[in-house]
Amino acid sequence: MTPGDISFLIIAIAILALVLFIGYFLVQLSATLNSVTQDVKLIAHDADDLLINTNDLLKDVNGKMITLDPVFQAAGDLGTSVSELNASAQKIKEKAGKKKSGLGSNLGTAVTTASMLFNLKNKNKQKGTKGDKK
């Protein structure tokens, strides 16, 4: 064997080793890609289920919100009515305070007395409620 034949044999063995290494690498890469593909399919399926459940939940919440809207509207209207009633009572009280005698004075005294009685009733009611909880 000449030195050229030996060098040719070494190059052939090196190329064969390189081809085998590249083949092994490609087989491993293919297996990894198959595993990743299966995982992505599983995640996509789970995501679809999650989106379906989320849409159902959102429809349910929207339906309940539509049901509750009138309740909140009524509560807002009640608050407005109470504010208007309070403002009217304040105006009557102010008018009663300006007039020292006659019906206006008596009306102001009546409003003040009614307000005090109402507050006293609420305090007694709260005390009774606290006693029931014990």
Side-chain angles (χ1 to χ4, degrees), residues 72-84:
F72 287 114
Q73 182 66 37
D77 293 344
L78 178 63
T80 303
S81 298
V82 169
S83 294
E84 290 172 356

Side-chain angles (χ1 to χ4, degrees), residues 6-120:
I6 295 174
S7 64
F8 178 74
L9 185 60
I10 292 173
I11 291 173
I13 292 172
I15 290 174
L16 180 63
L18 181 65
V19 168
L20 290 175
F21 177 75
I22 290 173
Y24 177 76
F25 175 76
L26 289 176
V27 168
Q28 293 296 322
L29 181 64
S30 176
T32 303
L33 286 177
N34 285 336
S35 175
V36 168
T37 302
Q38 289 174 356
D39 290 345
V40 167
K41 285 180 182 178
L42 180 65
I43 290 170
H45 183 265
D46 289 346
D48 287 343
D49 290 344
L50 181 63
L51 286 174
I52 290 169
N53 290 337
T54 303
N55 285 337
D56 290 342
L57 180 63
L58 188 59
K59 286 177 187 175
D60 185 42
V61 168
N62 284 337
K64 289 178 180 173
M65 286 300 296
I66 289 170
T67 304
L68 286 175
D69 278 344
V71 173
F72 287 114
Q73 182 66 37
D77 293 344
L78 178 63
T80 303
S81 298
V82 169
S83 294
E84 290 172 356
L85 179 63
N86 189 23
S88 297
Q90 290 295 330
K91 287 180 184 177
I92 290 172
K93 188 175 178 182
E94 288 173 8
K95 287 181 183 179
K98 290 180 182 176
K99 295 181 181 179
K100 297 293 182 188
S101 64
L103 180 62
S105 177
N106 292 337
L107 186 59
T109 304
V111 169
T112 304
T113 304
S115 176
M116 288 172 43
L117 288 174
F118 183 72
N119 288 336
L120 184 62

